[in-house]
Amino acid sequence: MPSQYEDLMRHVFTHGVHKSDRTGTGTKSVFGYQMRFDLREGFPLVTTKKVHLKSVILELLWFLTGSSNNHWLTERGVTIWNEWAGEDGELGPVYGVQWRSWPTPDGGHIDQISEVIQTLKTNPDSRRIIVSSWNVAELHKMALMPCHAFFQFYVAPATEPGGRGQLSCQLYQRSADIFLGVPFNIASYALLTHMVAQQCDLDVGDFIWTGGDCHIYSNHEEQVRTQLARTPYALPQLHIKRRPATLFDYAFEDFEMLNYEHHPAIKAPVAV
Ligand code: THF
């Protein structure tokens, strides 16, 4: 059974060095790690605990709307951004804003996601199919600086005449909360890769996750022990029920996870 996530967790738990952090919680930390998920083998949803997929899907759809406001999420019952939002729900120019409307010095905006789709359709060999959330000039206005900060798409050409190319995605995540955040982050980008592939008539290839400061918070250690004692199940399969007109027209109901066999949920506090 696939255990790449659990291998990362075990590696940091065993070899991590004690390190203090911005939130004052304390962590075990390792710098630099990579995982590769072959999306043809199944959807990389963690099975050694129940992952709340509804929050993952709605958070991704929220990023794609380009919103800076947590209300869109709370109206739909998703609370994962509440700790960082102000009274008015504002988070500043976080992920969605940079993805869809990165401000330019002359007062314009760049829709990085639409440019990615355009390039994948017209110039799939490009080595510049990149989205960055790390807008250095705007970091100080963000409620939280991007953790998953930079990603690139890659198309491997079709292996037979008339076949389809295979779309891969690699993410650089500068800061990785291994117990709470990483299962969400892997699922989110795997889902995005499936959606982009569907829109560009490509098959899916690999999702590559590259981590910077990979850490286990000291108040997650008991949960980690519980999780590492469990045996992973086979991966589920993602089914997208229709093909919306554009990447921005997906709805929560369009996604179905088939055969998601998982261990029980494990609760843990989030470091703010
Ligand atoms: N800050 C920290 N400390 N960890 C993170 O993972 C994180 N993020 C986002 C921004 N800041 C972060 C927020 N993403 C949960 C999951 C993802 C989050 C924040 C919180 C969470 O509490 N998950 C629980 C409950 C699930 C639910 O209620 O839907 C879980 O059991 O998975 C990572 O990008």
Side-chain angles (χ1 to χ4, degrees), residues 97-111:
V97 176
Q98 303 302 338
W99 285 16
R100 302 297 316 284
S101 55
W102 175 296
T104 59
D106 61 5
H109 295 91
I110 297 169
D111 183 344

Side-chain angles (χ1 to χ4, degrees), residues 45 49-57 77-78 80 184 260:
L45 193 59
K49 73 173 183 186
K50 182 179 186 180
V51 177
H52 194 209
L53 192 66
K54 181 189 165 198
S55 298
V56 174
I57 294 172
V78 178
I80 60 172
F184 269 58
Y260 181 37

Side-chain angles (χ1 to χ4, degrees), residues 192-232:
L192 179 64
T193 306
H194 275 274
M195 293 158 67
V196 171
Q198 186 186 41
Q199 289 296 319
C200 298
D201 295 307
L202 296 164
D203 288 335
V204 290
D206 292 336
F207 170 61
I208 300 122
W209 182 93
T210 301
D213 186 322
C214 303
H215 48 272
I216 293 173
Y217 282 105
S218 51
N219 57 355
H220 293 171
E221 290 191 7
E222 207 42 55
Q223 288 87 336
V224 166
R225 254 185 226 104
T226 302
Q227 190 164 3
L228 287 179
R230 297 174 171 180
T231 306

